[in-house]
Amino acid sequence: MSEKNTLLDQWRAMAYNDQADKNQLQKLWIDYFQKEKEIYQQLLTNPDEEVKGTVKELAEKYNVDIMTMTGFLDGINESLKTPNPIEEMDENTQVSLAFDKELLYKNMVAAEADWLYNLEEWHPIFDEAKRKELYREQKSSTTVVKAAKVYPNDPCPCGSGKKYKKCCGKNK
C-alpha cells in the first residue's frame, strides 16, 4: 500500500478537500453527520459492549460505506480505551469501538457536536447533573486564563518585597 493511499488519507482527501465543489462537500458532511449520529445512537444503547471487527465488517454492521466508517473511526479514536491504528488501517484491519464514556462525552462537547452530546441515548448513561458536570469540565479545560499584568510600581511577584521596576522588571 502506498504511503498516500491509506483509508485515512483517502477519507481526509475527500472530506477536507479545498478544491472540491462547496455544495458537494456540504452534502458529504450533512450525510456523514447523519450516519455518525445513527452509529452513536446504536453504540450508546449498549455502552459497555465492546463492538469490534474489521473496518469492512463494521461498515456493513452500521450500513455505511468504507469511507464513512473511516471518518467515524478517525472521529472516535481519541475517545477509545485503546486507540485503533487508524494511520495505517485498511478495510481488513481489526478495530474496536470500546469507548471511555466520560471521555467520549467530553470530546463531543469539545467538538461542539451538540447533535451528539444531546442524544437521548446519553440519559440512561449519565443523569442530567453528571452531563452538566462533564460539560463544564470540558469547557473550563479549554478556557485560557491570562496572567494579571504587573505594573512597574506593583510589588514584584517574586516575593522580594521590592517594586517590580527595581527587581525582576529591571531589565525588561
Side-chain angles (χ1 to χ4, degrees), residues 103-138:
L103 189 55
L104 179 61
Y105 190 86
K106 286 180 174 184
N107 285 338
M108 288 174 169
V109 170
E112 298 184 356
D114 56 337
W115 65 94
L116 295 177
Y117 67 77
N118 284 329
L119 286 170
E120 289 289 319
E121 286 78 5
W122 281 110
H123 296 192
I125 300 170
F126 299 129
D127 64 21
E128 188 180 357
K130 182 65 174 176
R131 291 193 308 273
K132 283 182 175 174
E133 176 193 329
L134 292 170
Y135 183 91
R136 273 194 308 272
E137 281 176 20
Q138 176 56 43

Side-chain angles (χ1 to χ4, degrees), residues 39 43 47 49-53 58 61-62 69 72-73 76-77 79-82 84 95-100 104:
I39 295 171
L43 280 176
E49 175 196 356
E50 180 183 5
V51 175
K52 55 186 177 184
L58 292 182
K61 175 181 172 72
Y62 293 108
M69 182 48 65
F72 184 82
L73 289 163
I76 197 173
N77 212 42
S79 305
L80 298 176
K81 293 177 180 173
T82 307
N84 289 311
V95 291
S96 165
L97 298 180
F99 57 92
D100 176 309
L104 179 61

Side-chain angles (χ1 to χ4, degrees), residues 20-56:
D21 175 64
K22 296 289 178 243
N23 291 332
Q24 281 182 314
L25 210 52
Q26 186 177 19
K27 182 180 178 341
L28 178 145
W29 280 107
I30 290 169
D31 292 347
Y32 172 79
F33 289 140
Q34 182 57 44
K35 291 171 184 169
E36 176 191 46
K37 181 179 173 181
E38 290 166 8
I39 295 171
Y40 277 121
Q41 286 174 312
Q42 291 180 57
L43 280 176
L44 293 171
T45 304
N46 196 350
D48 297 314
E49 175 196 356
E50 180 183 5
V51 175
K52 55 186 177 184
T54 66
V55 176
K56 186 176 183 183

Side-chain angles (χ1 to χ4, degrees), residues 156-168:
C156 191
C158 79
S160 67
K162 297 179 185 174
K163 287 185 178 183
Y164 179 65
K165 66 182 178 189
K166 297 282 187 192
C167 190
C168 295

